[in-house]
Amino acid sequence: MSYKRVLTIQDISCFGQCSLTVALPIISACGHETAILPSAVLSTHTAGFSGFTFRDLTDDMPSISAHWVKEKVTFDAFYTGYLGSKKQIDYVLDIFNKNARENAIKIVDPAMADGGKLYPAFDMDYVNEMKRLCFSADIILPNITEAAFLVGYEYKEIYDEQYIKGLLGALENAGAKTVILTGVGYKEGETGVVVYKDGEYSYYNHEKLPRSCHGTGDVYASAFVGALLCGKKEYDAAKIAADYTVLSMKKTADDETHTYGVKFEKAIPGLIKMLDLK
Ligand code: PXL
C-alpha cells in the first residue's frame, strides 16, 4: 500500500468535530502521514455556537513554511479547508510552490458557505481570494452554495440536472480542473455527489438522512483525500467518502443531543473496510 505524506491546512476548532480534529484522524486511518498547519484556533466552530474564541495564525504561516524549506520537508499532497483570513490564501499558494514534492496534488475544499449563505466570518472579498486558490488546485470539493459563489451563479435550493451541468461548465470555464460537487440531489429523500473531470459528468447518488448534521463536509473531504491517496480513482474515492459520511451520520442518528458534529470515529472501521487495502 502506498504511504503518502499529506499536509492539511485548516483551523483547529478545539470542540465541535470539524476541520483538523476530523481530518487528522480520518486521513491517518487511511494510512497516510498527516502533517497539519492550523490556520486559526477557535474554542468551537462558528455554526450554532456563540462567543467562540478565535486566534488567527496567519502570521505564523510563512515562518512555518520557511522552516520546512530549511529542513527539506515536502509533501505529496495538500488539502486545504477552512482558512482563517484572506491573507492566508497567498501564503497557502506559496506553500503549494515551496513545500511540494514532484507531482504533488492540491485538493481544496472552499469551506466558506452552505445553504445559500456564507459562514459568519466571510465576505465577498474572501470569496474572490478563494477563487484564486480553487482555480489553481487540481481538485476542488465545493457544495452547491460554494460553487455558486465561486462563479457568481444564482443559488437554487431546487434545481435540475441542467442547472448543475451549467454550474459545472461555469466552474470549468473559470479555471477549475476536477470538481467533486457535494450535496446534489434530484429526488426527494436522495442526495449525492457529482464528479466532473475533463468535461465528463458522473453521479453517485445515495440515501439522504432526515437530519442534516454539521461537519459532514469535512468528514467527506477528509475521507475523499484519504481514499484518493490510497490510489482510488476520483469517482471511487467520491463514492467511498459518501458512504462513509452516511455511515457516520447513521452512527449519530440515535443521539438527538449530538447536533454539533457527527460520530465519525464510530464509522472508522467501516471506512477501512471500504478502502479494501491490500
Ligand atoms: O466545517 C466547516 C468549518 C470549519 N471550521 C470552522 C467553521 C466551519 C463551519 O462553520 O465554523 C471554524
Side-chain angles (χ1 to χ4, degrees):
M1 192 201 119
S2 64
Y3 181 65
K4 301 287 187 192
R5 184 190 289 162
V6 53
L7 172 66
T8 179
I9 309 175
Q10 43 190 319
D11 71 282
I12 296 178
S13 285
C14 299
F15 179 82
Q17 284 174 317
C18 72
S19 41
L20 281 183
T21 64
V22 165
L24 181 54
I26 292 177
I27 303 171
S28 299
C30 294
H32 309 295
E33 179 181 358
T34 313
I36 61 165
L37 179 45
S39 58
V41 179
L42 296 86
S43 49
T44 64
H45 60 65
T46 65
F49 294 101
S50 59
F52 45 82
T53 68
F54 181 91
R55 179 162 310 272
D56 181 3
L57 296 179
T58 305
D59 293 341
D60 292 42
M61 285 181 143
S63 44
I64 290 173
S65 167
H67 182 213
W68 287 341
V69 169
K70 181 178 133 306
E71 297 292 336
K72 298 191 171 45
V73 175
T74 53
F75 301 95
D76 299 299
F78 300 96
Y79 155 39
T80 72
Y82 189 103
L83 299 176
S85 70
K86 282 191 302 244
K87 201 168 149 199
Q88 287 191 359
I89 305 234
D90 277 327
Y91 293 149
V92 169
L93 287 166
D94 204 45
I95 290 168
F96 283 177
N97 284 325
K98 290 196 178 131
N99 302 105
R101 288 182 174 166
E102 213 180 315
N103 300 321
I105 183 160
K106 294 165 274 178
I107 303 161
V108 171
D109 177 356
M112 62 181 177
D114 205 2
K117 286 198 216 112
L118 289 173
Y119 293 147
F122 301 130
D123 57 16
M124 284 312 290
D125 288 345
Y126 184 82
V127 173
N128 285 330
E129 288 299 296
M130 185 51 82
K131 287 181 191 175
R132 294 202 296 135
L133 189 59
C134 283
F135 301 143
S136 72
D138 298 298
I139 302 180
I140 58 171
L141 293 125
N143 57 36
I144 296 176
T145 305
E146 289 156 349
F149 270 111
L150 288 173
V151 287
Y153 228 66
E154 181 197 357
Y155 170 75
K156 285 191 181 172
E157 215 150 291
I158 297 165
Y159 47 79
D160 55 14
E161 206 177 77
Q162 202 185 341
Y163 169 82
I164 295 297
K165 286 188 171 166
L167 188 54
L168 292 164
L171 283 166
E172 189 178 36
N173 289 339
K177 294 177 194 89
T178 299
V179 182
I180 313 294
L181 187 64
T182 58
V184 181
Y186 297 118
K187 285 191 205 138
E188 192 71 21
E190 288 184 6
T191 187
V193 52
V194 171
V195 177
Y196 191 73
K197 188 182 177 190
D198 301 326
E200 244 185 68
Y201 167 103
S202 5
Y203 181 54
Y204 177 64
N205 89 321
H206 56 84
E207 111 190 71
K208 181 173 180 175
L209 297 176
R211 196 170 103 192
S212 79
C213 303
H214 185 73
T216 48
D218 299 341
V219 169
Y220 183 87
S222 303
F224 174 83
V225 170
L228 189 83
L229 297 181
C230 286
K232 305 289 176 195
K233 296 255 177 286
E234 285 89 345
Y235 181 84
D236 297 325
K239 177 177 180 305
I240 288 170
D243 292 343
Y244 172 60
T245 307
V246 170
L247 188 60
S248 300
M249 290 169 84
K250 285 187 172 162
K251 299 276 183 197
T252 319
D254 63 346
D255 182 354
E256 276 175 22
T257 64
H258 200 104
T259 53
Y260 50 84
V262 286
K263 298 183 181 178
F264 70 93
E265 307 87 345
K266 285 182 170 288
I268 283 180
L271 173 62
I272 291 170
K273 259 191 223 135
M274 290 172 209
L275 289 171
D276 190 25
L277 301 174
K278 300 285 182 265

